[in-house]
Amino acid sequence: MQVLVVDDSALVRDIVTSIVVEAGYPQPLLAKDAREARMHIKRSVVDLILMDIQLPGIDGLQLTRQIRRNLKDDHWIPIIFLTIKDDADYLSEAIDAGGDDYLVKPVNKVVLLAKIHAMSRISKMKAALDETNLQLSRLTQIDSLTNTINRRGFDDALKHAWRLHRRNNEELCLLFLDIDGFKIYNDSYGHQQGDRCLRQVSELFKSCLRNESDLLARYGGEEFVILLPNTPLRAAEKLAQKVLNRLQQENISHPNSDTAPYITVSIGISTTRDGAVTGQKLLSQADRSLYMAKSNGRNQLCCYEDIEQLMVDSDT
C-alpha cells in the first residue's frame, strides 16, 4: 500500500514515515504542500493519503475537493486528515470535503496504524467489487459474432488506456484494420459465409496479439481495431505486418477481390508520439492512416507519421 504524506511540517512527515515503514509498508511519498501532492498523484499510484488540513496556500480541504473532482472517473483514494483541531463542526467540514477519516495530532502510532489497516481493508474490498462490476460490464461488451470486444467495450478500453498513457507517460499505439472488398465477398458468397469469414479473420487477429494487454475489438461491420498499450511504433508495425503475412498464409479464398485472390486487410497505425491529445484523436489519426493505406492499393499498412512526412515534403 503506497502512502502519500502531505504535511508542511518536516517533523510530522518524519514521524509518520517512521511509523509507516516500521509497520512494513513501503517508504511513503512525501509532500509539503498541494503542488507537490498533486505531482505525486499524477506520477505515482497512490493508495492512501495522510493529509494535514492546514497547508500553506491551498489547504487540505481545497486539495481534497480537487482530488475527488479530478479522480472521480479514475479511482478512489482514501484520505485521512491529520489535524490539531478536534471540534465537531471542523471535522464535519473535513468529511464533507471528501475526507474518509481523521486523526488528531500529535500522531498516536497505534491509532494511526489501525486506521491505515482499516483503509487497506476497505480499499481491497472496493477493488474486488470493482473487478466484479467490470466482469459484469464486459458481458455486455462482447461482440456475439466474433467473440471479441464490441464498439462499446472498445470505447471504454480506449479511455482507460489513455488514462494509463497520461499517468505513466508510456507510448500507446492503435491499429485500425479493414477487410478489403468485403462487400464483394458478401455479395458473392452470402452473409452466412461472410459471418464465417469474419469469425475466421478475427481468430487470426487474436493469434497475432502479443500478450493480455493487447486488445482486439470489432469496431463495426468488417472493421477491427487493436489497442497496444506501452508499445513503441516499430513494435506496432511489426504486429501489423504479421497480420498481413498470416492472412497470406491462411489464403482465405476471395477470387472476386480487386486486391488479391485471398482475403486481405488494410491497416492504419497511429501512436501518441504523433501529437494526439485525446484517445479519440488517436483513433482519428489511425482512421486517416487506414484511408491512405486503401488509397495506395490496399493489403498494406500505413503509419500516421508517414502521412505527416508527406505533408511536410509537399509543403517544401
Side-chain angles (χ1 to χ4, degrees), residues 51 53 57-67 69 97:
M51 185 189 305
I53 293 180
I58 297 176
D59 65 23
L61 302 185
Q62 292 174 289
L63 178 57
T64 297
R65 293 188 185 99
Q66 291 177 1
I67 293 171
R69 183 170 61 250

Side-chain angles (χ1 to χ4, degrees), residues 200-217:
Q200 188 176 357
V201 170
S202 67
E203 287 300 317
L204 184 146
F205 291 163
K206 289 178 188 177
S207 70
C208 293
L209 302 182
R210 307 160 306 164
N211 52 54
E212 293 183 356
S213 297
D214 296 350
L215 182 138
L216 169 69

Side-chain angles (χ1 to χ4, degrees), residues 24-243:
Y25 292 101
Q27 176 76 23
L29 302 171
L30 303 177
K32 65 178 181 296
D33 54 27
R35 184 188 65 83
E36 291 185 358
R38 287 194 297 262
M39 179 183 67
H40 283 306
I41 294 171
K42 181 179 180 180
R43 296 180 178 179
S44 307
V45 177
V46 176
D47 301 304
L48 171 65
I49 301 175
L50 303 175
M51 185 189 305
D52 186 11
I53 293 180
Q54 295 178 313
L55 296 172
I58 297 176
D59 65 23
L61 302 185
Q62 292 174 289
L63 178 57
T64 297
R65 293 188 185 99
Q66 291 177 1
I67 293 171
R68 294 300 184 222
R69 183 170 61 250
N70 295 336
L71 295 182
K72 62 182 179 180
D73 294 327
D74 194 352
H75 66 285
W76 170 73
I77 304 176
I79 297 176
I80 299 177
F81 284 121
L82 307 177
T83 176
I84 58 174
K85 298 183 180 180
D86 61 355
D87 63 89
D89 291 340
Y90 187 72
L91 296 175
S92 176
E93 182 183 3
I95 300 302
D96 288 342
D100 299 290
D101 203 344
Y102 66 89
L103 180 62
V104 178
K105 296 179 182 179
V107 175
N108 181 288
K109 175 181 177 180
V110 175
V111 176
L112 175 59
L113 288 179
K115 291 181 182 293
I116 292 176
H117 293 329
M119 289 300 168
S120 178
R121 287 197 299 269
I122 294 173
S123 183
K124 289 177 181 178
M125 287 188 291
K126 185 179 183 302
L129 179 61
D130 288 345
E131 179 62 26
T132 300
N133 289 334
L134 180 61
Q135 295 296 336
L136 292 173
S137 175
R138 283 173 176 166
L139 294 177
T140 67
Q141 298 181 346
I142 298 297
D143 176 62
S144 58
L145 177 63
T146 61
N147 198 34
T148 61
I149 301 297
N150 60 21
R151 173 74 174 273
R152 175 185 173 187
F154 168 73
D155 289 341
D156 288 346
L158 180 58
K159 291 177 184 176
H160 178 68
W162 187 260
R163 286 197 296 267
L164 289 179
H165 152 68
R166 293 292 302 275
R167 184 175 185 179
N168 300 327
N169 195 30
E170 296 171 343
E171 188 171 357
L172 172 65
C173 287
L174 193 151
L175 274 59
F176 212 141
L177 308 94
D178 185 74
I179 301 177
D180 299 320
F182 191 71
K183 183 180 185 303
I184 299 174
Y185 187 91
N186 262 338
D187 293 342
S188 300
Y189 298 106
H191 289 283
Q192 286 188 340
Q193 179 59 32
D195 288 349
R196 283 192 286 270
C197 177
L198 286 173
R199 285 193 290 267
Q200 188 176 357
V201 170
S202 67
E203 287 300 317
L204 184 146
F205 291 163
K206 289 178 188 177
S207 70
C208 293
L209 302 182
R210 307 160 306 164
N211 52 54
E212 293 183 356
S213 297
D214 296 350
L215 182 138
L216 169 69
R218 185 184 179 194
Y219 195 74
E222 66 273 21
E223 293 182 327
F224 292 81
V225 285
I226 297 178
L227 198 57
L228 302 173
N230 191 21
T231 300
L233 176 60
R234 299 313 165 204
E237 288 181 295
K238 184 177 180 180
L239 190 149
Q241 188 60 53
K242 182 179 180 180
V243 168

